[in-house]
Amino acid sequence: MENILSLFSENEQMIYFVILAVFVGIEVIGGVPSILHTPLMSGANAIHGVVIVGAIFVMLKSDPENYGTLLAGFIAVLLGTLNVVGGFVVTDRMLEMFKKK
Amino acid sequence: MQSHLLSVIYLIGSVSFIIGMKMMGNAKTARKGNLVGAAGMGLAIVGTIVLFKGDVSPVIYGLILLAILIGTIIGWMTAKKVQMTKMPELVSIFNGMGGACAALISLIEFNHIKHTDHIIETVQNLIPVEPTSAGALFCMLAGLVIGSVSFSGSIIAFLKLNGTLDKPVRLPKYNIINTIFLIAVFAFSVYLFNVETPILIYVLFAMALLYGVMFVLPIGGADMPVVISLLNSFTGVAAAFGGFLYGNYVMLTGGILVGSAGTLLTVIMCEAMNRPLFNVIFGAFGGGAATSAIGDATKGTIKDISVSDTATLMNYSKRVVIVPGYGLAVAQAQHVIHELEIILEERGVEVKYAIHPVAGRMPGHMNVLLAESNVDYGKLVEMDDINPEFPNTDVVLVVGANDVVNPAAKTDPSSPIYGMPILDVENSKNIIINKRSMNAGYAGIDNLLFYNPKTSMLFGDAKKVLTELVAELKTM
C-alpha cells in the first residue's frame, strides 16, 4: 500500500498529464460526424505509430555486438515505420476524395 | 543544448498531433489535419535520430535508416495500391504492426535490465525512472501484454475481414475460458515482477499473443469494425506505456490521445449499431446459429423484377432513394451507381443516398467509397434524416445491403440484431432489392423485407445489373 501511494506522489506530474491528455483525446473526437469516423480511425491509427520513437531509442542504445537486440530493434523500427507511413498515406487517400467537393 | 532542442521538437510533435486530430474532425480541414499530424511525426522521428546524445556506432545508424527506408517503401506502396473496399483490412494490419513494435520494445528493454545493469535513459530527464523500479517494470510488462494482444488480435481481425476466417470460432464456454485466461495473464505479469529468470518474459509474450487470438476469434464479422477500433486504442495505450518508460512526452501524447479518442470512437460505433460494447465482446452475434425462428409459412413469396421494368418504374418516379451496402463496393459498382443517379436526375427524378451509420465495413466507409466515385457530398443523407422521408419516396433501390434494412431489428426480439436502428425502407411505395442470390447478410440472418408485398428482387451482380439499368434508361 505504502508503495502504491508513493508511486502516485513520485509520478504526480505524469498522472496529471495523463488525465488531461485523456480529456483532450475525448474533446478532440467529440461531435465528429459519422462520415468522418473511418478517416479519423485511420488517422488515429497512424498517430499511435509514434511508438516508433521508442523503437529508435532501443536501437540507438543497443550494443552493436548484441545481434539479438539489433535484430529485434530493426524489426521494431520497420514495423513502426509501416504503421506510420502506411497509416498517414492511406488516410490522405481517403480524405483526398472528400476534398474534391 | 541538443536535449533542450529535442524537448522543443517533442513539444511541437505533441501539439501537432492534437491539432491534426482536431482538424480531422471537420470535412473541410481533414486532409490538412492529417498532414499536420504526419509533419509532427516526421519531425519527432528525425529529431530522435539526429539529436540523440551518446556514442552510437555508424552501423546502428545505418540499420535504423535501412529499416525506415524499407518500411516507408512497403507502407507507401501498400497504402497507395490498396482498393478502397479493402481499407478496413489495411487499417487493421497497420494497427497490428504498431502493437508488435510496442511489444518488441518491451521485450528488448526487459532483457536489458535483467541481463546487465543497463540503465534506461530518460532522454529528457523530466522524470527519472529508475531502471529496475517497479514503475519501469510495470510499463514494460503492460506495453508487452497490450501490444501483443493488439498485434495478434489485429491479425485475426484482418483474416476475418478478408474472408479467410469467415465463421466465428467458439470454444464451449469461451467467455469463461477467456476471462480465466486473462486473469492468468495478469497473475503471471505480477509474478514476473519479482522473478529473476528473464526467459519467462517469453512465456508472457506467448500468453498475450494467444489471448489476442482468443479475444477476437469468437467475435462475428459484423462486429469487426468495433474490434478494430478497440484494438486501435489498445495500441495507443501500449505506445503510451512506452512513453512512460522513456519519459518521452511525444510518445505519451500520441499514445494517450489515440487511446482515449479510440475508446470513445469505439463507444460511438457501438451506439450506432445499438450494441453495447459488452455484448460485442461477450455476446453471441454473427453466428450461423443466429437464424431466428421464422417459419417458411409466414415468409410469403419472393417477387422478381426485370431490368426494364425497374427502369420504367424509376423513370416515372419523383423520388428515388438508393441504399448502398458493402455488396455495392464488392461489385465495384460505385461508379455505375453514380451514373444511374446522374441519368435519373436528368429526367427530373430526385435521387438521394441513404447512409446507415455502419454501411460498409466501418462507420463512414460507404461515404469514402461513394466520394471516390464523385458522388455529391450533399446527396448522402444520414439515417435519422432520411427515415422520415421514406413514406414520400416512390422507389427505394437497395444495392448490396441487407442487415441495415432488416425489419427484424425492430420486430423480432429473438433476432441477434434486435434493437439496431435500421433504415425504414418498408415505408416507401416500392422497394427494389438488388442481390446476387438469396444468401443471408453478413450477420447471417434471414430478412423478412424480401417477402414484403412491396418488394421486388432484382437478382444479379450489382455492377452488371446497374450497367444494364443505365443503358435501359438511356433508351427511354
Side-chain angles (χ1 to χ4, degrees):
Chain A
M1 192 63 200
E2 176 83 37
N3 277 343
I4 298 172
L5 282 179
S6 72
L7 208 64
F8 264 96
S9 63
E10 280 162 23
N11 298 304
E12 198 183 9
Q13 202 189 351
M14 196 53 102
I15 290 164
Y16 272 83
F17 179 89
V18 171
I19 292 171
L20 293 175
V22 167
F23 278 100
V24 171
I26 292 172
E27 164 60 31
V28 151
I29 276 266
V32 171
S34 68
I35 51 162
L36 283 173
H37 282 173
T38 294
L40 197 62
M41 181 157 112
S42 176
N45 178 46
I47 286 176
H48 69 49
V50 74
V51 71
I52 188 185
V53 168
I56 294 173
F57 275 151
V58 166
M59 284 291 277
L60 289 170
K61 292 186 296 141
S62 54
D63 175 0
E65 306 288 307
N66 186 345
Y67 299 119
T69 303
L70 278 186
L71 179 66
F74 182 82
I75 296 173
V77 175
L78 180 65
L79 296 179
T81 315
L82 277 175
N83 187 174
V84 170
V85 176
F88 280 119
V89 173
V90 86
T91 310
D92 187 64
R93 256 188 76 188
M94 274 189 249
L95 292 171
E96 189 185 358
M97 297 161 191
F98 287 102
K99 196 80 188 293
K100 276 186 288 194
K101 304 294 121 52
Chain B
M1 177 62 195
Q2 283 191 341
S3 66
H4 296 316
L5 190 55
L6 195 56
S7 296
V8 174
I9 283 181
Y10 285 159
L11 178 66
I12 298 173
S14 304
V15 173
S16 77
F17 290 163
I18 298 172
I19 294 177
M21 274 191 83
K22 184 73 196 169
M23 286 169 79
M24 272 195 266
N26 183 321
K28 282 196 188 114
T29 53
R31 196 174 176 199
K32 258 185 215 146
N34 185 49
L35 293 179
V36 168
M41 182 74 73
L43 195 62
I45 292 173
V46 173
T48 308
I49 299 173
V50 175
L51 295 173
F52 184 81
K53 42 174 193 187
D55 279 335
V56 182
S57 104
V59 181
I60 289 184
Y61 279 122
L63 282 175
I64 293 176
L65 293 179
L66 183 67
I68 292 182
L69 185 70
I70 299 175
T72 305
I73 293 173
I74 300 176
W76 193 288
M77 304 271 279
T78 326
K80 279 281 179 197
K81 267 201 321 215
V82 76
Q83 285 174 355
M84 275 296 140
T85 42
K86 302 276 176 205
M87 263 292 317
E89 281 100 311
L90 199 69
V91 171
S92 178
I93 208 84
F94 285 146
N95 178 52
M97 301 294 101
C101 180
L104 279 173
I105 294 171
S106 292
L107 270 186
I108 299 169
E109 291 296 356
F110 188 84
N111 280 321
H112 276 161
I113 59 165
K114 290 296 179 186
H115 283 302
T116 65
D117 336 294
H118 190 93
I119 291 170
I120 295 173
E121 287 156 68
T122 57
V123 175
Q124 294 157 286
N125 284 323
L126 285 165
I127 330 98
V129 180
E130 289 212 18
T132 48
S133 75
L137 207 54
F138 174 75
C139 292
M140 284 175 207
L141 295 177
L144 176 69
V145 170
I146 300 171
S148 312
V149 169
S150 180
F151 169 66
S152 59
S154 297
I155 300 297
I156 299 296
F158 167 80
L159 293 175
K160 273 179 179 277
L161 282 170
N162 81 0
T164 315
L165 287 172
D166 51 352
K167 287 261 152 33
V169 181
R170 295 206 180 106
L171 299 167
K173 304 226 187 300
Y174 68 96
N175 276 335
I176 298 170
I177 295 177
N178 276 8
T179 312
I180 291 174
F181 194 69
L182 182 62
I183 294 170
V185 171
F186 274 126
F188 195 69
S189 311
V190 173
Y191 173 72
L192 277 181
F193 257 76
N194 306 310
V195 165
E196 289 298 318
T197 29
I199 195 78
L200 286 179
I201 191 84
Y202 296 104
V203 178
L204 182 66
F205 183 41
M207 282 171 81
L209 286 176
L210 184 61
Y211 181 73
V213 174
M214 289 165 64
F215 174 70
V216 180
L217 217 45
I219 301 177
D223 281 332
M224 259 330 109
V226 177
V227 173
I228 295 176
S229 177
L230 191 64
L231 293 175
N232 192 28
S233 60
F234 278 9
T235 312
V237 175
F241 276 114
F244 278 125
L245 190 61
Y246 296 115
N248 182 307
Y249 276 109
V250 79
M251 286 173 78
L252 270 170
T253 322
I256 299 171
L257 209 57
V258 177
S260 68
T263 308
L264 183 64
L265 200 56
T266 313
V267 173
I268 294 176
M269 282 189 203
C270 287
E271 274 170 9
M273 297 195 285
N274 197 21
R275 297 197 16 90
L277 189 54
F278 185 86
N279 287 11
V280 172
I281 297 169
F282 297 104
F285 184 67
T291 7
S292 60
I294 308 171
D296 278 338
T298 61
K299 278 182 175 174
T301 49
I302 282 185
K303 203 167 58 188
D304 271 19
I305 188 166
S306 71
V307 170
S308 55
D309 287 350
T310 311
T312 316
L313 187 61
M314 286 187 151
N315 199 23
Y316 296 106
S317 301
K318 277 207 180 78
R319 287 189 192 83
V320 171
V321 171
I322 298 170
V323 179
Y326 189 64
L328 172 103
V330 170
Q332 292 292 314
Q334 309 93 297
H335 298 276
V336 194
I337 203 115
H338 182 47
E339 273 180 53
L340 177 70
E341 172 213 317
I342 292 171
I343 193 160
L344 284 174
E345 293 261 296
E346 278 170 4
R347 307 283 160 94
V349 184
E350 189 195 350
V351 183
K352 282 179 184 165
Y353 295 84
I355 310 290
H356 190 273
V358 293
R361 283 290 179 270
M362 292 203 283
H365 190 199
M366 193 48 65
N367 303 70
V368 173
L369 295 172
L370 289 174
E372 189 189 17
S373 51
N374 288 322
V375 172
D376 181 10
Y377 204 77
K379 290 201 172 294
L380 309 179
V381 189
E382 292 193 24
M383 181 176 65
D384 292 339
D385 299 324
I386 196 91
N387 269 346
E389 293 190 23
F390 280 120
N392 295 321
T393 302
D394 300 308
V395 179
V396 168
L397 177 65
V398 181
V399 187
N402 189 346
D403 298 328
V404 298
V405 292
N406 192 339
K410 285 198 295 195
T411 55
D412 179 9
S414 69
S415 170
I417 59 165
Y418 183 69
M420 179 172 95
I422 56 159
L423 294 161
D424 299 324
V425 295
E426 76 267 25
N427 293 339
S428 64
K429 292 173 191 137
N430 294 285
I431 307 156
I432 295 173
I433 299 178
N434 168 243
K435 263 174 81 64
R436 269 213 307 242
S437 65
M438 277 307 289
N439 287 340
Y442 204 43
I445 330 156
D446 206 352
N447 193 341
L448 270 184
L449 184 69
F450 302 160
Y451 308 94
N452 188 312
K454 285 192 283 187
T455 303
S456 312
M457 303 297 289
L458 182 63
F459 287 112
D461 174 75
K463 191 172 185 175
K464 189 169 157 283
V465 168
L466 290 173
T467 315
E468 285 169 16
L469 190 58
V470 170
E472 191 78 30
L473 274 165
K474 278 181 182 157
T475 63
M476 283 181 177

